[in-house]
Amino acid sequence: MILTVTLNTALDITYRVRSLRPHGSHRVSEVTERPGGKGLNVGRVLAALGHEVTVTGFTGGATGRIVRDQLAESAGVVDALVPVQGPTRRTIAVVDTTTGDTTQLNEPGPAITPAEWAAFQETYERLLRSASAVALCGSLPPGVPVGAYAQLVRTARASAVPVLLDTSGEPLRRGVAARPDIVKPNAEELAELTGSHDPLQATRSARRRGAHTVVASLGAEGLLAENAAGRWRAAPPRRVHGNPTGAGDSAVAGLLSGLVENLPWPERLARAVALSAATVLAPAAGEFDRPTYEALADQVAVTSEASAA
């Protein structure tokens, strides 16, 4: 079983409009709702790839009930979310269908009490006993300690469960110091962590800070990965246009599935890039266009070079 953690779950709402104009009134042509938050998106993609998945984190209020009801319809995803008093947040993505651009609005999430945080940690430790890998994903809701991911990384490592960390800011900085097996920042997050805007220098710096493997998401340019065994670049054969929301989460699913299947790193990266590109063409995060994924999986260019480790 692969475990994904989403401490700040959400109900993802996507609006499609012909043209998004500030201060204007817009007629929405299509609305979709999906359980959201990075780890839930990762979990749905993993399930679509045929893996057993359990999702945990926090959920509460009327929005949380909608999230859980919809999760129950997601084949292959087991709900182990921890109930809280505060309402689960909503995220709003507005897609301009003329330009393909997306505007994102994210609510902060519920305030988590010390008792709720303690209840989650108990659930997490129990779930780790049957986990083959764990992904720690996304932002922290109010009330959760800023060092929460560092603590969860150490707990996973103590249980000998490989752990991937995908977050940003201070939670990322502290989490990296706990020595996760994989971190997957985007270019902006990596620069904030290391102070370097050169991806090569930044990945080396992130490894020196504690990460065993750094996989940097470079947007349309694909992925740059480095560990003690080497350095690789993986790029899609062509640029795809659509809604990029959730593309990074699909890349995480590709990396995790490759980890538990014990694939060589070039194959893991090719899968991650193909899934990411195929998600851009899907209607909502946590989904991917399977024909596009299958077509791209063998077309992703992966190049290898010596690691500076």
Side-chain angles (χ1 to χ4, degrees), residues 120-212:
F120 168 79
Q121 291 177 80
E122 291 180 5
T123 297
Y124 177 68
E125 291 177 12
R126 173 177 56 80
L127 292 170
L128 282 175
R129 296 173 196 153
S130 55
S132 56
V134 59
L136 308 175
C137 303
S139 61
L140 300 179
V144 172
V146 70
Y149 281 136
Q151 181 178 349
L152 298 180
V153 168
R154 288 191 291 268
T155 301
R157 290 181 57 79
S159 299
V161 177
V163 56
L164 182 152
L165 178 62
D166 183 14
T167 187
S168 60
E170 185 66 11
L172 174 61
R173 188 183 71 80
R174 297 197 186 194
V176 165
R179 302 186 62 79
D181 295 272
I182 305 171
V183 294
K184 195 217 69 66
N186 61 32
E188 181 180 346
E189 293 162 350
L190 188 60
E192 182 182 3
L193 172 68
T194 65
S196 174
H197 290 274
D198 179 337
L200 287 175
Q201 292 183 7
T203 53
R204 292 190 203 112
S205 177
R207 288 194 59 225
R208 286 194 295 269
R209 292 166 186 261
H212 291 276

Side-chain angles (χ1 to χ4, degrees), residues 32-112:
T32 58
E33 288 186 350
R34 296 289 189 279
K38 295 176 74 64
L40 267 61
N41 295 336
V42 171
R44 291 204 306 280
V45 173
L46 283 168
L49 292 172
H51 288 273
E52 294 182 4
V53 181
T54 297
V55 297
T56 191
F58 296 114
T59 186
T63 307
R65 286 193 292 274
I66 295 172
V67 167
R68 301 194 85 157
D69 288 345
Q70 293 192 4
L71 267 181
E73 301 173 1
S74 298
V77 177
V78 175
D79 175 358
L81 294 166
V82 176
V84 296
Q85 287 294 325
T88 293
R89 66 187 178 130
R90 296 163 296 180
T91 66
I92 311 296
V94 184
V95 180
D96 184 320
T97 59
T98 299
T99 64
D101 293 334
T102 300
T103 299
Q104 192 82 18
L105 303 172
N106 297 327
E107 295 179 357
I112 304 302

Side-chain angles (χ1 to χ4, degrees), residues 2 10 110 116 121 126 218 228 251 259 293 306:
I2 299 176
E116 290 167 343
Q121 291 177 80
R126 173 177 56 80
L218 305 179
L259 185 156
Y293 164 63

